[in-house]
Amino acid sequence: MTIREVAKAAGVSVATASRALNGLSSVTAKTRAKIEATARELNYVPHSGARSLTRRQTDTIGVILPDLFGEFFSEIVRGIDLAVQGAGKNLLLGNMHGSAEQTGQAIRAMRGRVDGLLVMPPHSSAETLDQALTHGIPAVLLNARSSDGATPFVAVDDYAGARLVTEHLIERGARHIVHIAGPASNRDARERERGFREALKEGLGITDPLVLPGDFREDAGRDAARYLLENGTRFDAVFGGNDIMAVDCMAELREASLTIGSEVLVAGFDDIPLARYVTPQLTTVHSDITRLGAAAAELLFRMLAGETPDAQDWLVIAPTLAVRGSTAGGFKPGT
């Protein structure tokens, strides 16, 4: 069914049918109602490509993430999708797999297909990102900032969150806290490690804590636990750079017959749904990932509506601490 057939059945011109179905005001209410009723009777579905050429809009938002694996990214997408669906628009997902070259390719692939972009580029240089974004497509960054500070962003305060959880472990009596870091090229990972180090320095005077390498994936948590156990490392708490690593580290420590929450404390970051369903439940930094995605989408919609948000409209989400069983017991310093 085409718009020509709708126009013929409604007894109007193709131009009038097009204006009515595209919501333009140059059609009387009576004529619009007749055309819309005819379109429903004929089960007419507008061709998105033709409509975008006419209106120069696609009603589609592009989302480019460094990965689509895991609950962290699924929660971000869930938040974005809630906002996008509420606005009556569509969502187009892409990923860049981390490299600067692939970031540019992913953004270029979206041109002409979307009205605006949401981009999370933790592995990409600011210079590469700036070059890729300077082509007239409105964009909002997630957990990143452009080198000139001109691109709007929404971010979680990773540094403050890491300080919160490290201070909590110290308050619980931990004195030998190990951190499993994320990828060195990842901005979130660097900020979380920085918060951990500074909280330890201020709280315990420790300037050279044990930081084990990780990549935000499950095996890194198990590898870290095995390293600690096999090398006889003295530790009483582990702060995983994200929940996935913390959960897998906790599982490995339990298999070694350590009691989580009393013999050793374990905490994570992000508060993905899994954190509430492991045993014991994981203490973690609640960074409100769903809100991160939704807030970024809503900021982009304002830009598409013609607004020019200034820096006061950009959002840094303050995390909170979700204290659960994995740090429930605590112990006296020195035990």
Side-chain angles (χ1 to χ4, degrees):
M1 187 61 58
T2 68
I3 196 170
R4 291 183 181 276
E5 293 171 280
V6 173
K8 182 179 179 180
V12 299
S13 68
V14 173
T16 299
S18 176
R19 287 194 295 269
L21 294 173
N22 279 299
L24 301 182
S25 59
S26 55
V27 181
T28 66
K30 182 178 179 181
T31 300
R32 184 190 309 281
K34 181 179 179 181
I35 293 169
E36 290 176 346
T38 303
R40 287 193 296 271
E41 290 171 6
L42 297 178
N43 198 28
Y44 169 71
V45 178
H47 187 280
S48 59
R51 170 171 279 188
S52 67
L53 287 173
T54 302
R55 299 168 57 223
R56 296 187 179 181
Q57 293 179 357
T58 65
D59 287 331
T60 301
I61 301 303
V63 180
I64 302 176
L65 301 173
D67 202 342
L68 299 179
F69 171 81
E71 288 189 85
F72 176 81
F73 294 109
S74 68
E75 286 298 294
I76 287 179
V77 172
R78 186 167 74 90
I80 294 171
D81 186 56
L82 287 170
V84 168
Q85 291 298 314
K89 297 186 181 296
N90 303 307
L91 191 63
L92 182 61
L93 277 176
N95 65 331
M96 62 187 74
H97 300 290
S99 76
E101 180 181 355
Q102 288 173 326
T103 299
Q105 290 176 349
I107 293 174
R108 288 192 293 273
M110 292 283 186
R111 291 177 192 159
R113 304 171 68 187
V114 300
D115 298 327
L117 283 172
L118 300 175
V119 185
M120 176 181 280
H123 297 285
S124 306
S125 70
E127 181 181 357
T128 301
L129 181 64
D130 292 344
Q131 292 172 354
L133 288 177
T134 54
H135 288 275
I137 304 177
V140 174
L141 302 180
L142 296 111
N143 271 13
R145 305 186 188 195
S146 58
S147 59
D148 59 5
T151 305
F153 69 87
V154 176
V156 172
D157 193 337
D158 293 292
Y159 170 80
R163 286 190 63 101
L164 271 178
V165 72
T166 305
E167 289 166 357
H168 168 72
L169 293 172
I170 293 172
E171 289 169 1
R172 281 289 197 260
R175 294 296 179 267
H176 304 280
I177 308 171
V178 177
H179 178 51
I180 310 173
S185 59
N186 183 290
R187 175 192 171 277
D188 295 341
R190 294 195 302 269
E191 285 296 287
R192 293 173 190 185
E193 182 178 338
R194 185 169 73 90
F196 165 73
R197 287 181 179 275
E198 293 194 11
L200 273 189
K201 181 179 179 180
E202 293 177 17
L204 297 177
I206 297 174
T207 58
D208 189 25
L210 178 57
V211 175
L212 299 178
D215 58 6
F216 282 163
R217 294 180 181 270
E218 296 97 329
D219 289 346
R222 288 189 176 272
D223 290 345
R226 289 169 185 154
Y227 174 88
L228 295 172
L229 295 169
E230 292 170 3
N231 287 274
T233 305
R234 186 180 182 186
F235 68 100
D236 51 22
V238 178
F239 164 34
N242 72 348
D243 287 343
I244 288 293
M245 295 192 299
V247 166
D248 259 40
C249 176
M250 188 164 67
E252 189 73 16
L253 295 175
R254 287 182 61 193
E255 289 177 13
S257 299
L258 289 173
T259 304
I260 308 300
S262 57
E263 288 184 277
V264 61
L265 313 182
V266 180
F269 201 115
D270 290 328
D271 201 12
I272 61 176
L274 177 64
R276 299 184 289 277
Y277 296 105
V278 293
T279 302
Q281 292 182 325
L282 181 67
T283 290
T284 182
V285 176
H286 179 70
S287 54
D288 210 344
I289 313 167
T290 305
R291 182 187 174 204
L292 175 71
E298 288 162 3
L299 182 57
L300 182 59
F301 295 150
R302 291 174 57 188
M303 296 167 64
L304 293 174
E307 291 187 42
T308 306
D310 57 29
Q312 292 181 344
D313 297 304
W314 306 351
L315 179 64
V316 177
I317 298 173
T320 57
L321 191 62
V323 178
R324 303 191 180 108
S326 66
T327 63
F331 31 74
K332 296 178 181 179
T335 60

